[in-house]
Amino acid sequence: MQQFFLQKCGKVHNFGCKLGNLIQIQKAHMSIDVDIETRPKLRKHERRKHILLELRLRPHVRISELADRFRVSSETVRRDLEKLSADGLLDRAHGGALALVSGKYPTFDERATARVEERERIGRVAAHLVQPGETLMIDSGSTTLQLARFLAFDGTACTVITNSFPVAMALGQSEAANVIICPGDYLPSESAVIGTDAVEFLARHSVDRCLIGASGIAEAGPSEAVRGFAAIKRAMLRQSAIAHLLIDGQKFGRKSLAQVGNLSDVSSVVSDQAPAEELAASLKRANVEVLVAR
């Protein structure tokens, strides 16, 4: 009888333990559900940083998955992706986005060691366009680096906003230059920053002139092989009273991946040679002055 009673007690105890475990599990699930429903929604810039982080972990994200995770509409996520794509930080795909795939475009270091004499001539002429005391925006590039070196060598007094570390370092050699570096996402192959933070920073400033490079220029306008740079250049063009395009003659007639703007967005083109007749006529119609660095 005693043994029977102990067996029954044991079964009741086991059932009680199991019931207790089930209750604890249920409470945990309820707690998770409450956390998901009550946690604060991410702000716009936080969502976009999460999207970029996700693309570092896997090559593709879907709009529907992101909308569920962020508890926002698909249209909100779509706007996030469009903005990140415009800033050159991801590639749009059907129903989502893809991580950027590095192309075969030469790195900054590779470009800086090619056609040095031509780039120096362009940089010297462009430096003489800058008036003492002016505010400037200078983007990243091997030709704009030569411009920065001549500005420093001449001791030209100026305030420069740039996304390029080599440009900033070159101008930093001059006591007359005040250098401001954009915040943003660091691009090691270019020693420069790109992205939403950089574009938004540029939009908060207005300058007398910008001096930018490009991967190519054709009748449609200047274009850029590094997508993140295209957004930077567009921002600089918008915020400048005068815009100069520094480009070597081998890039005339070339069309690269991302369109920077129209020919009319540029005040002058500084190059080591004159463009071919067709492009020269288009530049003239757009009232763009061509300066040839001899």
Side-chain angles (χ1 to χ4, degrees):
M1 188 68 169
Q2 184 179 9
Q3 184 177 3
F4 175 78
F5 179 76
L6 291 174
Q7 288 176 347
K8 288 295 184 181
C9 287
K11 289 181 179 180
V12 171
H13 175 74
N14 290 338
F15 176 76
C17 290
K18 290 180 180 179
L19 181 60
N21 289 337
L22 289 173
I23 292 172
Q24 292 298 321
I25 292 171
Q26 184 63 30
K27 285 183 177 180
H29 282 300
M30 291 175 64
S31 175
I32 291 172
D33 291 341
V34 170
D35 289 343
I36 289 174
E37 293 302 322
T38 60
R39 71 185 182 203
K41 290 184 179 180
L42 295 176
R43 296 180 180 179
K44 179 169 60 178
H45 72 278
E46 293 173 331
R47 288 197 310 270
R48 293 173 181 177
K49 287 186 180 298
H50 275 271
I51 292 170
L52 295 176
L53 178 60
E54 187 69 22
L55 284 173
R56 292 179 185 177
L57 302 175
R58 57 192 179 116
H60 179 260
V61 294
R62 298 191 62 80
I63 290 176
S64 57
E65 294 174 359
L66 295 173
D68 289 341
R69 180 181 305 176
F70 299 146
R71 294 189 297 117
V72 295
S73 68
S74 296
E75 187 58 36
T76 296
V77 174
R78 189 172 287 107
R79 287 195 295 269
D80 288 338
L81 298 183
E82 293 293 346
K83 175 59 176 173
L84 292 170
S85 175
D87 289 346
L89 296 176
L90 54 76
D91 282 326
R92 289 286 278 112
H94 180 68
L98 298 169
L100 288 178
V101 178
S102 299
K104 295 185 180 298
Y105 187 70
T107 65
F108 174 84
D109 288 339
E110 291 170 338
R111 300 195 307 275
T113 57
R115 294 177 59 79
V116 175
E117 182 180 342
E118 291 84 353
R119 297 181 196 280
E120 286 179 347
R121 297 208 308 267
I122 296 169
R124 183 184 296 108
V125 169
H128 290 157
L129 297 173
V130 178
Q131 302 302 307
E134 284 190 330
T135 54
L136 313 172
M137 288 183 180
I138 302 177
D139 80 326
S140 175
S142 52
T143 307
T144 53
L145 175 58
Q146 295 297 335
L147 156 72
R149 287 172 174 165
F150 279 105
L151 287 174
F153 180 79
D154 293 341
T156 304
C158 55
T159 296
V160 178
I161 301 174
T162 184
N163 68 319
S164 166
F165 286 93
V167 166
M169 292 171 66
L171 285 165
Q173 304 301 311
S174 169
E175 294 182 358
N178 177 33
V179 183
I180 303 169
I181 298 248
C182 294
D185 300 299
Y186 184 61
L187 193 60
S189 62
E190 298 294 331
S191 297
V193 295
I194 59 172
T196 302
D197 290 339
V199 172
E200 291 180 351
F201 179 81
L202 291 170
R204 295 196 295 270
H205 297 80
S206 296
V207 296
D208 296 314
R209 67 181 79 227
C210 71
L211 301 103
I212 65 173
S215 301
I217 182 172
E219 292 183 66
S223 55
E224 179 55 54
V226 183
R227 291 187 60 231
F229 281 170
I232 296 290
K233 296 173 195 293
R234 285 193 292 266
M236 289 185 172
L237 289 173
R238 286 193 297 266
Q239 302 307 121
S240 305
I242 303 173
H244 306 288
L245 178 67
L246 283 54
I247 189 166
D248 77 77
Q250 287 192 342
K251 297 177 180 177
F252 286 147
R254 183 183 299 177
K255 296 180 181 179
S256 294
L257 176 65
Q259 191 72 19
V260 172
N262 301 315
L263 291 179
S264 58
D265 294 325
V266 178
S267 306
S268 70
V269 170
V270 185
S271 183
D272 61 301
Q273 63 187 60
E277 184 176 348
E278 191 172 354
L279 179 57
S282 296
L283 288 166
K284 185 175 181 179
R285 285 194 297 270
N287 294 319
V288 180
E289 183 181 12
V290 178
L291 304 174
V292 180
R294 301 296 183 182

